[in-house]
Amino acid sequence: MLEIFDVLCIHQDRNLWNLRGQADESWHLTPSLVRYFEREEVPSPKAHGIEISTFREFQTQAHLYVPHTVLEQISADVSWMMLMQHYSCPTRLLDWTQSPFIATYFAVEQCVDEDGAIWLFNSSRLDTLMLQKYGHLKDRIDRIFDHEYAIPAIYPILGAIHTERSAAQQGSYTFCCSLVGSHEKIIDECFAEKFPNANGAVDKRLNKIIIPARLKNEFLARLGTMNINARTLFPGADGLGRSAAELVKQRVWTGN
């Protein structure tokens, strides 16, 4: 795994990679909003109605809590979704990072008895493949809530502006034009279609690295020496609290 990190960190296009750490390797690449729908087996038309209602609820009241300097820079619906994601509202967006070390943090900081996983793919390649197959996302923005117009296209996107948290986490997203489309399946099939004989090449597929549960505490401790912890990744009092919880876990683990 460290060899792969070396490649990603010194690669000339390193900022074009998307990585996502998940604390349980059995979890699929499923956005927070879609997890609700899958768990309750919500049919597609109803799911779209719920998404629209949630979106409008947030949009009409955001000015009460979000600084106007931020709201003035938001226009597109996808940008609104990024803001919603930041404030813990479930959306169809899936969070990624451009840092392999931050991805590792999220793969090891919870579920210490389960193997974690880091997913990664070359976002520049995916964007090119989606453009060739479906056109540009901006051409579909006006109809993203129209479930009859949904297509199995996934686009990597960056925020127009960063919040403190997304900047600290080097955040990016993937957006699926089909609300209930599988990010994992669509990305993997897109690469497989273009590179059928990739033979596991790290830059030509959707990759998944497993981190054994027995190594999680050690990884978390090593990341802490690099100043990658809850305090730095979650700026504010909540990050300080999470950092204190990490200190408890580390002291228990080391026996000190």
Side-chain angles (χ1 to χ4, degrees):
M1 186 168 70
L2 291 177
E3 292 177 355
I4 294 176
F5 280 10
D6 286 342
V7 171
L8 294 176
C9 289
I10 66 175
H11 195 287
Q12 62 178 350
D13 294 328
R14 68 185 180 87
N15 290 329
L16 301 179
W17 288 86
N18 275 9
L19 305 98
R20 178 178 172 85
Q22 297 195 155
D24 190 328
E25 69 87 15
S26 68
W27 295 345
H28 294 287
L29 295 177
T30 308
S32 54
L33 184 62
V34 181
R35 288 199 294 269
Y36 283 104
F37 299 148
E38 289 184 347
R39 185 168 59 243
E40 302 300 330
E41 299 182 346
V42 178
S44 182
K46 182 178 180 179
H48 278 81
I50 294 173
E51 181 188 38
I52 293 172
S53 297
T54 304
F55 183 90
R56 301 305 180 203
E57 176 82 4
F58 184 93
Q59 189 179 45
T60 57
Q61 299 185 51
H63 68 280
L64 300 173
Y65 309 99
V66 181
H68 288 281
T69 52
V70 174
L71 296 179
E72 288 170 356
Q73 301 182 61
I74 296 177
S75 56
D77 289 344
V78 174
S79 296
W80 273 102
M81 289 183 185
M82 295 181 200
L83 186 66
M84 293 168 67
Q85 190 92 339
H86 170 72
Y87 286 105
S88 302
C89 180
T91 76
R92 69 167 73 185
L93 297 180
L94 193 63
D95 292 295
W96 299 78
T97 178
Q98 295 179 328
S99 165
F101 302 107
I102 292 173
T104 303
Y105 170 85
F106 286 107
V108 303
E109 57 118 5
Q110 294 183 15
C111 304
V112 294
D113 295 324
E114 305 294 338
D115 291 347
I118 300 172
W119 296 84
L120 65 151
F121 68 91
N122 189 304
S123 59
S124 179
R125 286 186 181 274
L126 180 67
D127 192 50
T128 298
L129 295 175
M130 288 296 164
L131 284 171
Q132 293 172 348
K133 193 169 184 178
Y134 296 108
H136 201 287
L137 175 60
K138 68 180 181 181
D139 299 327
R140 304 180 181 278
I141 288 295
D142 293 338
R143 302 190 66 177
I144 62 174
F145 290 121
D146 185 351
H147 70 276
E148 295 181 354
Y149 187 65
I151 57 172
I154 287 182
Y155 294 89
I157 56 177
L158 293 171
I161 57 172
H162 271 300
T163 62
E164 275 190 288
R165 182 178 300 179
S166 64
Q169 297 178 8
Q170 299 183 41
S172 59
Y173 309 89
T174 46
F175 173 88
C176 186
C177 293
S178 171
L179 172 60
V180 294
S182 167
H183 287 235
E184 183 179 332
K185 180 179 179 181
I186 294 172
I187 296 173
D188 195 42
E189 290 182 349
C190 183
F191 279 112
E193 181 181 314
K194 183 65 175 179
F195 307 108
N197 299 312
N199 295 321
V202 72
D203 66 334
K204 293 183 178 179
R205 58 175 293 184
L206 174 65
N207 300 271
K208 183 181 181 182
I209 302 170
I210 305 299
I211 300 180
R214 60 184 173 80
L215 295 179
K216 281 189 170 183
N217 282 320
E218 180 180 348
F219 271 52
L220 193 63
R222 291 180 180 272
L223 289 168
T225 65
M226 301 165 61
N227 206 29
I228 297 176
N229 51 45
R231 181 175 50 80
T232 57
L233 296 179
F234 296 90
D238 56 336
L240 180 60
R242 293 174 67 140
S243 182
E246 285 178 7
L247 177 61
V248 172
K249 288 192 292 186
Q250 290 294 297
R251 294 290 295 273
V252 170
W253 174 60
T254 61
N256 295 325

